């Protein structure tokens, strides 16, 4: 059975964000809103509860491993249940945790696209830094949807699909987007045939994604912002959700509407920004999601497919 553990469900900065005093962050600190703190987004995937693929290595990885005994040392003096790491993109909130894994006793088995590898060896040279510690064995991801296996992760097949996106500010090609800057990940159980589709950064549901999403049993997708102008509404910035590569949930063409045709699938939002009102359990926005059959991921959530 395909098993997914949500290690972190928040967007960059987590929730509450360390320097933010928006209504959500102030409320969760004071205990005046019904909301759960969240670490920065990452998941772990397995078919046997022993061997795990870490998908994205957030800055919170140490705390996330401490919260999940199955990822902790169990077979040797120094050990981990993490067999490999796969990166969706090269954003800071998905890659900085690699530095926390530097004590690994052997090179990290790392799966990412050529574009992500380029960013992480130039503009943000995390992988060059790791050469002085455990080192990295890089496996280039095919980004055309063709299936591939990951060593040590038995019983599962994977496929990466390029998404329209923009590379991070430190990328050498920030203003020249390339396929592979951001991917969606299909994970399929080879025994049952059931599958999940994971895309924490989804600006729109492109035509090449539709067959994969319709075939999936679980959609774990972008929940960053409720409205395109959410940052401005909350008084904490002017950046727009769509400009950052995230489809807002509400309004015409938003995520709620876009997920409407996927009636059979279990639908869960992840990568939720600290400003998003869906973080508040009893909010009107949360009720609207519930009415549409959409769930909100939380840290520690376990999903079986």
């Amino acid at each position: 059975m395909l098993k997914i553990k949500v290690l972190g469900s928040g967007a960059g900065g987590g929730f509450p964000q360390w320097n933010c005093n928006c209504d959500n962050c102030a409320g969760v600190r004071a205990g005046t809103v019904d909301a759960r703190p969240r670490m920065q987004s990452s998941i772990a995937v397995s078919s046997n509860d022993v061997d795990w693929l870490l998908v994205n290595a957030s800055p919170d990885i140490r705390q996330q491993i401490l919260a999940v005994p199955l990822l902790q040392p169990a077979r040797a003096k120094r050990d981990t249940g993490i067999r490999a790491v796969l990166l969706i993109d090269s954003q800071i909130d998905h890659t900085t945790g690699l530095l926390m894994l530097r004590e690994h006793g052997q090179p990290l088995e790392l799966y990412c696209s050529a574009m992500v590898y380029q960013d992480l060896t130039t503009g943000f040279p995390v992988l060059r830094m790791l050469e002085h510690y455990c080192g990295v064995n890089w496996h280039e991801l095919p980004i055309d949807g063709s299936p591939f296996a990951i060593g040590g992760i038995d019983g599962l097949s994977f496929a990466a699909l390029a998404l329209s996106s923009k590379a991070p500010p430190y990328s050498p090609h920030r203003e020249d987007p390339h396929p592979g800057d951001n991917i969606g990940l299909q994970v399929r159980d080879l025994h049952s045939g059931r599958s999940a589709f994971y895309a924490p950064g989804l600006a729109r549901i492109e035509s090449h994604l539709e067959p994969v999403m319709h075939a999936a049993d679980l959609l774990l997708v972008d929940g960053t912002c409720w409205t395109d102008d959410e940052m401005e509404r909350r008084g904490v910035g002017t950046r727009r959700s769509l400009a950052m590569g995230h489809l807002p949930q509400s309004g015409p063409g938003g995520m709620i509407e876009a997920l409407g045709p996927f009636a059979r699938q279990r639908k869960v939002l992840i990568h939720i920004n600290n400003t998003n009102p869906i973080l508040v359990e009893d909010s009107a926005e949360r009720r609207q999601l519930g009415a549409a059959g959409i769930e909100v991921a939380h840290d520690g959530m376990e999903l079986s497919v």
Side-chain angles (χ1 to χ4, degrees):
M1 177 183 292
L2 167 57
K3 300 180 180 182
I4 297 173
K5 289 186 180 292
V6 176
L7 306 181
S9 53
F15 175 62
Q17 184 170 304
W18 68 276
N19 67 337
C20 185
N21 205 35
C22 70
D23 291 344
N24 281 355
C25 291
V28 76
R29 287 193 194 99
T32 56
V33 298
D34 183 10
R36 313 183 198 199
R38 283 168 162 82
M39 291 183 280
Q40 294 167 88
S41 73
S42 179
I43 63 172
V45 176
S46 178
S47 65
N48 59 14
D49 275 340
V50 176
D51 304 301
W52 293 87
L53 172 68
L54 177 66
V55 184
N56 293 333
S58 94
D60 301 314
I61 185 61
R62 181 180 181 276
Q63 187 176 350
Q64 291 169 347
I65 290 174
L66 289 175
V68 182
L70 290 171
L71 301 181
Q72 297 170 14
R75 295 147 291 268
K77 292 291 185 181
R78 289 205 169 183
D79 168 69
T80 177
I82 298 170
R83 296 287 171 260
V85 182
L86 185 148
L87 301 177
I88 293 290
D89 55 37
S90 56
Q91 298 288 345
I92 282 177
D93 53 317
H94 288 157
T95 59
T96 309
L98 291 171
L99 295 175
M100 303 301 105
L101 303 178
R102 66 188 181 276
E103 295 93 353
H104 199 43
Q106 54 194 7
L108 291 171
E109 301 297 332
L110 181 70
Y111 293 75
C112 67
S113 71
M115 289 298 100
V116 168
Y117 183 81
Q118 181 190 88
D119 289 348
L120 298 183
T121 52
T122 55
F124 183 37
V126 174
L127 303 186
R128 298 296 185 208
M129 296 165 68
L130 286 174
E131 290 176 2
H132 300 282
Y133 298 93
C134 61
V136 168
N137 287 331
W138 174 48
H139 306 265
E140 183 177 353
L141 288 183
I143 57 172
D144 59 357
S146 56
F148 61 91
I150 291 181
I153 308 296
D154 297 331
L156 300 178
S157 175
F158 301 86
L161 297 99
L163 307 180
S164 295
S165 187
K166 197 171 186 178
Y170 44 78
S171 171
H173 59 275
R174 165 70 169 178
E175 302 305 328
D176 181 22
H178 283 62
D181 287 337
N182 181 23
I183 63 162
L185 181 68
Q186 180 198 53
V187 187
R188 188 168 65 88
D189 186 301
L190 292 174
H191 300 292
S192 68
R194 293 170 64 83
S195 68
F197 178 72
Y198 175 60
L202 192 60
R204 64 180 185 274
I205 297 177
E206 301 169 78
S207 59
H208 70 287
L209 302 180
E210 291 180 5
V212 174
M213 293 177 68
H214 276 294
D217 299 280
L218 169 67
L219 302 176
L220 187 57
V221 296
D222 195 328
T224 307
C225 291
W226 181 253
T227 62
D228 188 39
D229 62 349
E230 180 173 295
M231 303 284 282
E232 186 173 355
R233 290 187 183 209
R234 293 285 184 161
V236 296
T238 58
R239 298 181 70 191
R240 295 284 178 131
S241 181
L242 285 168
M244 294 187 290
H246 301 288
L247 181 64
Q249 283 102 60
S250 63
M255 188 65 78
I256 295 174
E257 181 178 295
L259 291 178
F262 301 95
R264 180 185 65 82
Q265 289 77 6
R266 184 177 182 184
K267 299 174 281 290
V268 183
L269 300 182
I270 195 168
H271 194 271
I272 304 151
N273 201 55
N274 65 91
T275 53
N276 195 328
I278 68 174
L279 288 168
V280 180
E281 305 279 345
D282 56 0
S283 65
E285 291 83 359
R286 180 65 79 89
R287 290 193 294 273
Q288 189 173 339
L289 286 180
I294 301 172
E295 303 171 59
V296 178
H298 58 82
D299 294 11
M301 189 178 198
E302 298 186 2
L303 301 163
S304 297
V305 180

